[in-house]
Amino acid sequence: MLFRFDNVTKSYGSHEVLREVSFQINPGEHVGLVGRNGAGKTTSFKLLLGIEDPDDGRVEQMRGLRIGLLEQQVHAEGSGTVRESALEVFSSLHAMEVDMRRLEHEMASANGDELDAILSTYSDLQHSFEDAGGFTMHARAESVLLGLGFSRDDLNLEASNLSGGQRARLALAKLLLEGPDILLLDEPTNHLDIQAVEWLEDFLADYPSAYIIISHDRYLLDRTVDRILAVENGRISTYPGNYTAYLVEKQQRRLLAEKRFREQQELIDRTQEFIRRNLAGQKTKQAKSRRNMLERMERVDRPEADGRAANFGLALAARTGREVLSVEALSIGYPGVELASSIEFVVYRGDRVGIVGGNGTGKTTLFKTLLGSVDPLGGEMEWGHNVKPVYYDQHLADLDPRNDVIEEMRLSIGGADDPTLRGYLARFLFTGDDVFKRVSALSGGERSRLSIAKLISGSGNVLLLDEPTNHLDIPSREALESALESFTGTILTISHDRYFLDRICDRLVNLEDGTAEVFEGRYSDWLDERLIRKAEGRVRETPAVTAKPPQVPAPSGATKRRSIPAIEAEIADAEGEISDIDATMAKPSVASDHVKLEPLIEARLHAVERLERLMAEWEAASAD
Amino acid sequence: MAGKKFRAAAEKVESQRRYALHDAVVLAKEVAFAKFDETLEVTMVLGVDPRKADQMVRGTVVLPNGLGKNKRVLVIASADKAQEARDAGADEVGAEDVVERIKGGWLDFDAVIATPDMMRLVGALGKVLGPRGLMPNPKTGTVTLDVAKAVEETKAGKVEYRVDKTGVIHCGVGKVSFETDKLVENAQVLIDAVLKAKPSAAKGKYVKGAVVGTTMGPGIKIEVVA
């Protein structure tokens, strides 16, 4: 047992978040914690970490349990480089190192017994240092960082200048270096780009120790957990299997609960009718006994209707000129660091533009430049007539943690009375006392909802959204998507959410390799196009292959062609090889070790090349 | 899966029997099959908890018949001590200059000895020397004022033994090409040293088991009388 919740109850004011909750987590278990925003998921983590105490019940832990937490909001790391920041986890080793350096200086000037004493202390200290991995900490930190996708140059970047995704990776690297018994991941994918999410999925699927993930990413949960803990109405129920299995099981349980409730209601109705008719008659004794039975009966709760999703009704936006934004030869970045240059695109009224690209390619900087909070390094940009851009920040910096929800809303809609504000907030699922919660006490998802509520209530007609679906639960995401679909203004959005992009955007600006490329079409079309281009690019990049006589018999009448089944067998073999390599690369022990990774990457490239050659051969053979 | 040669060798060893040291060495030499001159290793499983500082078993011992390989010894010392080291046969001697060379990636040595006044320079090399087990330490006699003795002993076949995290000591005691008696003598000296180093805080049985074996060959259990 790693830890156990034993009848835990926790309230904030009159709001009961957890009621008599009991569950247990064992070593090696991979658990997903799901539930609506504000349902008590993060509270469960806080109870486990000892940041909060339960009002009733107990949280028991294995002795010496080491917990690693990856928080929802990864704060900017203080000063120092990525490498220095990662090494911070070894603070006890650093203290030992300082003592060792001091003793080394002291022994230079000591003699006799004093020297012996120093040498003896030094010897023990060096030994403990070595045992605790002091000599290898630099190498370990580096290998974990490289495994998580940082390049060697990145290690010397200032940690405070990292993009959201890079910061999350750094935080994850620090966690892994601590080697905890259990990992707590609170929305780990929020600031990761798609490649990084896929990497994380593979990594977690193979992670030997226990972890609990809070996530609204259905795909992540499906691939990484074997048990779901669902927080609903203050209760936590356990479901075996992944997220899909949970949905099926939950539906079945709900149907069963409804049936039980209905049957009990019928029984109650029948019994009450019997009591009413017979209480004063001959069967009064029976009626009284049935009345007692009714009083003693344990009532089945009515199952809650299936959720309430946020209603993000967007107001009609004031009409802008036809050309909303034009960008010409724009260079963005910070003094000394150019992130992207030669950016050119025009946005017209009603466009829905998705900004995509890896972490740190300058997506957020592009928004900041467009909004004027960062100066362009070169080029021109111009907003069109009557344009009022509004910005939704992925780090939620526009909320004042000291305000409560309704005050924060009042700042946005000046002059509105309380009932109007409350009515408006209710559409964003802030009902009853929720509106008096302090911003600092809101969960990540609730903050996002509030931010979006503020944004929409404003008078902006061009929305610049920076990762709007982060922190939103699944129903809220879907509601946001449909609200944005009915929005009459123009939308520019940065997102890593594959489904969101596909549903909302009809144009894409891809920031990559220091420049921007515009794609007219949906996200999935763009992915297809990229795959095709990549395949073509590889053919061009390797002229040696075409110059030399091909190793595989080419479709040149003179050479004898192989049979299709023979080629197919080889294709299956090549595909098998690739998937084997992928499986090996996904293992944590390999993924975090660049030395092991490099030959695998090489081997995979060769295998992919071989597969492509075979495919070409197969096509030629089957065309005959 | 173990190879054919290994399986053939393992069949000649009675896996349950505890051999006398001499018989075990004879057998190990007999079943050694590798094409190179294998090292004979002694492995001892100790009843200590190495996470506790007071149950650490670590030290050095000079094997009377050497190890069969010439160790390249680097001495970090200055002035008189540097000369002493040279006279005693050190392969490399230096101070700031060698520290810089090591930082630059030079690692052509098998042992490092330093004088206490040089440790303020050597400390910075922990990242490089530590993971390779080359970091000088007073307990192993490699941080010392008597550099001449340290060099001579290292050259003569001084080996370091220490328990790993799981409470096991591994230590080479010579090459298969050595005469049997010399190997037995070396092994016995090591075993005696480990027995003598028993920490007072260790509880229960001190030596839980001991094995000799060659680099590639099967392990052969031996009787150790405490």
Side-chain angles (χ1 to χ4, degrees):
Chain A
M1 190 251 328
L2 290 176
F3 72 89
R4 178 191 305 147
F5 274 42
D6 191 7
N7 271 318
V8 169
T9 298
K10 177 74 190 170
S11 312
Y12 292 108
S14 61
H15 179 49
E16 198 171 52
V17 181
L18 296 176
R19 178 158 41 99
E20 291 168 12
V21 164
S22 299
F23 66 93
Q24 173 174 325
I25 303 290
N26 296 317
E29 273 195 302
H30 296 169
V31 179
L33 188 58
V34 301
R36 290 182 176 284
N37 289 329
K41 303 187 295 292
T42 305
T43 304
S44 306
F45 275 12
K46 284 182 177 163
L47 287 167
L48 177 56
L49 288 162
I51 298 171
E52 303 264 0
D53 290 322
D55 299 336
D56 203 9
R58 279 187 308 169
V59 178
E60 290 174 36
Q61 287 188 359
M62 180 184 90
R63 200 181 315 165
L65 180 73
R66 283 175 307 165
I67 304 173
L69 172 72
L70 187 67
E71 280 183 284
Q72 224 173 84
Q73 310 269 352
V74 183
H75 300 288
E77 306 289 334
S79 58
T81 63
V82 169
R83 188 197 305 270
E84 286 163 357
S85 174
L87 286 170
E88 277 170 16
V89 300
F90 302 114
S91 55
S92 61
L93 289 174
H94 288 308
M96 286 162 98
E97 220 174 3
V98 169
D99 284 347
M100 278 161 58
R101 290 300 92 82
R102 181 176 52 77
L103 291 170
E104 282 159 7
H105 276 89
E106 284 175 13
M107 65 177 78
S109 52
N111 288 307
D113 288 347
E114 192 195 352
L115 178 62
D116 288 345
I118 294 173
L119 287 180
S120 165
T121 316
Y122 179 77
S123 186
D124 291 342
L125 192 59
Q126 195 199 72
H127 171 241
S128 320
F129 183 74
E130 185 174 358
D131 267 4
F135 288 133
T136 55
M137 64 180 166
H138 295 272
R140 273 186 292 151
E142 198 163 292
S143 105
V144 169
L145 287 169
L146 293 176
L148 279 168
F150 285 96
S151 70
R152 257 174 219 288
D153 294 339
D154 291 344
L155 302 188
N156 299 319
L157 289 178
E158 281 293 314
S160 52
N161 288 348
L162 294 181
S163 71
Q166 289 172 320
R167 247 184 254 168
R169 287 194 217 183
L170 175 57
L172 188 62
K174 290 169 84 166
L175 266 190
L176 295 176
L177 284 172
E178 284 167 10
D181 299 310
I182 183 163
L183 272 182
L184 304 183
L185 303 150
D186 196 346
E187 292 286 2
T189 60
N190 267 357
H191 299 284
L192 296 183
D193 58 25
I194 291 161
Q195 287 85 353
V197 170
E198 283 170 359
W199 182 88
L200 184 70
E201 283 173 0
D202 289 345
F203 181 86
L204 287 175
D206 234 7
Y207 189 69
S209 304
Y211 56 75
I212 306 180
I213 308 179
I214 293 179
S215 183
H216 293 126
D217 186 331
R218 295 156 275 191
Y219 297 84
L220 176 82
L221 289 174
D222 259 356
R223 285 201 51 198
T224 56
V225 305
D226 42 34
R227 184 175 154 201
I228 295 276
L229 291 175
V231 193
E232 282 163 317
N233 308 320
R235 301 278 192 172
I236 291 186
S237 350
T238 291
Y239 296 83
N242 64 10
Y243 190 76
T244 308
Y246 151 73
L247 288 181
V248 173
E249 174 82 16
K250 187 183 161 193
Q251 183 61 18
Q252 282 171 354
R253 287 192 197 181
R254 221 174 74 84
L255 289 176
L256 194 67
E258 265 175 15
K259 187 169 166 238
R260 259 198 239 122
F261 175 75
R262 220 175 30 243
E263 283 171 357
Q264 192 182 46
Q265 286 304 313
E266 282 167 14
L267 177 69
I268 291 169
D269 290 347
R270 272 202 313 275
T271 314
Q272 279 172 341
E273 179 62 18
F274 180 86
I275 297 167
R276 191 184 59 75
R277 272 193 280 152
N278 297 307
L279 196 57
Q282 276 184 332
K283 294 182 182 170
T284 179
K285 221 170 168 183
Q286 267 185 47
K288 277 182 185 161
S289 128
R290 290 202 188 181
R291 191 169 58 187
N292 285 337
M293 182 197 82
L294 263 192
E295 279 163 7
R296 282 198 303 270
M297 183 187 275
E298 205 170 307
R299 302 294 167 106
V300 176
D301 289 339
R302 178 195 288 272
E304 289 252 329
D306 211 8
R308 38 174 198 169
N311 168 18
F312 300 97
L314 298 191
L316 275 186
R319 199 174 158 88
T320 59
R322 199 178 96 79
E323 204 172 289
V324 171
L325 171 68
S326 75
V327 174
E328 258 179 71
L330 185 70
S331 296
I332 56 165
Y334 298 90
V337 191
E338 189 185 71
L339 290 172
S341 61
S342 328
I343 306 175
E344 300 220 358
F345 59 90
V346 179
V347 177
Y348 297 101
R349 184 175 57 225
D351 273 359
R352 277 105 170 80
V353 183
I355 316 279
V356 296
N359 286 324
T361 50
K363 301 186 297 295
T364 301
T365 311
L366 175 64
F367 270 16
K368 287 186 175 162
T369 311
L370 294 176
L371 290 163
S373 56
V374 171
D375 291 330
L377 298 182
E380 283 182 21
M381 46 165 236
E382 198 183 349
W383 288 104
H385 174 67
N386 199 25
V387 168
K388 285 191 192 121
V390 284
Y391 178 55
Y392 171 79
D393 178 14
Q394 66 167 320
H395 297 297
L396 312 173
D398 66 331
L399 297 178
D400 184 344
R402 290 164 301 179
N403 282 343
D404 57 30
V405 172
I406 199 162
E407 278 170 31
E408 194 63 38
M409 205 59 231
R410 195 175 287 125
L411 292 176
S412 182
I413 315 181
D417 55 6
D418 272 14
T420 313
L421 288 174
R422 295 189 67 146
Y424 182 75
L425 281 168
R427 290 161 63 189
F428 294 88
L429 307 185
F430 293 103
T431 54
D433 288 341
D434 291 350
V435 301
F436 301 117
K437 272 193 191 170
R438 284 213 182 272
V439 169
S440 56
L442 295 182
S443 74
E446 287 171 325
R447 280 178 195 221
S448 295
R449 268 196 262 136
L450 180 58
S451 256
I452 291 172
K454 280 184 66 179
L455 179 90
I456 286 163
S457 67
S459 54
N461 48 23
V462 176
L463 302 181
L464 278 82
L465 309 171
D466 194 346
E467 296 287 359
T469 56
N470 276 0
H471 309 300
L472 291 187
D473 55 23
I474 295 157
S476 299
R477 273 177 200 209
E478 285 168 357
L480 173 67
E481 285 162 11
S482 49
L484 289 178
E485 277 177 342
S486 62
F487 179 65
T488 54
T490 308
I491 300 169
L492 281 89
T493 178
I494 295 174
S495 184
H496 290 129
D497 186 329
R498 302 161 262 197
Y499 297 87
F500 176 80
L501 280 172
D502 224 23
R503 189 160 164 199
I504 297 300
C505 302
D506 45 24
R507 295 176 73 193
L508 293 174
V509 173
N510 176 33
L511 291 177
E512 197 177 355
D513 302 329
T515 187
E517 168 209 30
V518 180
F519 179 79
E520 303 288 340
R522 305 231 153 223
Y523 181 73
S524 43
D525 302 334
W526 177 68
L527 280 185
D528 292 347
E529 168 108 4
R530 258 170 87 87
L531 277 179
I532 295 167
R533 262 189 282 167
K534 218 168 160 186
E536 288 171 355
R538 188 170 294 126
V539 173
R540 270 200 305 281
E541 279 159 22
T542 52
V545 175
T546 44
K548 275 191 285 180
Q551 294 160 348
V552 180
S556 65
T559 42
K560 197 184 160 218
R561 268 202 199 123
R562 298 190 293 168
S563 67
I564 292 181
I567 304 172
E568 279 173 348
E570 263 207 67
I571 288 176
D573 178 44
E575 282 172 341
E577 190 187 349
I578 293 171
S579 73
D580 285 352
I581 296 173
D582 284 348
T584 317
M585 280 165 75
K587 285 182 189 153
S589 60
V590 178
S592 57
D593 188 342
H594 63 286
V595 180
K596 289 182 190 160
L597 267 179
E598 269 166 25
L600 285 170
I601 292 168
E602 184 83 357
R604 192 178 189 282
L605 267 179
H606 285 305
V608 170
E609 266 170 23
R610 178 172 152 229
L611 181 63
E612 275 167 8
R613 272 202 309 273
L614 288 165
M615 287 292 197
E617 193 193 347
W618 181 84
E619 268 175 42
S622 52
D624 287 352
Chain B
M1 196 55 211
K4 262 184 288 186
K5 288 181 180 172
F6 179 86
R7 273 178 282 154
E11 273 173 22
K12 295 185 192 155
V13 177
E14 292 171 44
S15 63
Q16 295 307 315
R17 178 175 157 197
R18 284 174 192 274
Y19 290 79
L21 178 60
H22 188 274
D23 300 344
V25 172
V26 170
L27 184 58
K29 283 184 67 155
E30 185 191 319
V31 301
F33 56 81
K35 290 182 187 132
F36 59 91
D37 193 5
E38 293 180 60
T39 297
L40 185 81
E41 272 185 30
V42 173
T43 303
M44 298 174 78
V45 184
L46 302 184
V48 295
D49 182 355
R51 285 171 302 176
K52 300 204 172 87
D54 59 356
Q55 293 192 35
M56 186 62 204
V57 181
R58 177 180 196 181
T60 54
V61 58
V62 178
L63 298 179
N65 303 303
L67 265 178
K69 53 186 172 191
N70 181 30
K71 278 196 172 180
R72 287 182 60 80
V73 179
L74 164 69
V75 177
I76 302 177
S78 59
D80 303 351
K81 293 291 168 192
Q83 194 51 50
E84 271 180 38
R86 270 189 211 101
D87 295 346
D91 298 278
E92 294 278 350
V93 181
E96 283 87 350
D97 52 328
V98 288
V99 171
E100 285 309 312
R101 278 173 74 194
I102 292 171
K103 279 183 186 163
W106 175 69
L107 279 168
D108 191 16
F109 43 83
D110 307 305
V112 184
I113 295 163
T115 52
D117 59 323
M118 282 291 131
M119 282 309 286
R120 65 199 157 80
L121 298 175
V122 180
L125 298 174
K127 254 198 290 194
V128 185
L129 299 180
R132 295 173 172 80
L134 294 171
M135 194 66 184
N137 184 295
K139 277 244 169 97
T140 60
T142 47
V143 177
T144 176
L145 286 167
D146 195 351
V147 287
K149 187 179 156 211
V151 171
E152 280 157 12
E153 282 184 353
T154 309
K155 285 276 179 187
K158 186 166 86 165
V159 292
E160 185 191 346
Y161 58 85
R162 61 179 298 182
V163 285
D164 64 14
K165 277 183 192 163
T166 54
V168 180
I169 283 181
H170 303 270
C171 194
V173 293
K175 297 284 178 187
V176 168
S177 58
F178 283 20
E179 286 164 29
T180 303
D181 288 345
K182 287 188 173 171
L183 283 175
V184 171
E185 196 184 353
N186 272 358
Q188 193 60 56
V189 166
L190 173 78
I191 292 167
D192 290 345
V194 173
L195 292 178
K196 224 172 112 185
K198 178 183 177 182
S200 51
K203 293 184 196 77
K205 198 172 178 194
Y206 179 50
V207 180
K208 290 182 170 173
V211 176
V212 297
T214 62
T215 309
M216 308 295 279
I220 302 163
K221 286 184 184 156
I222 54 170
E223 192 71 55
V224 172
V225 189

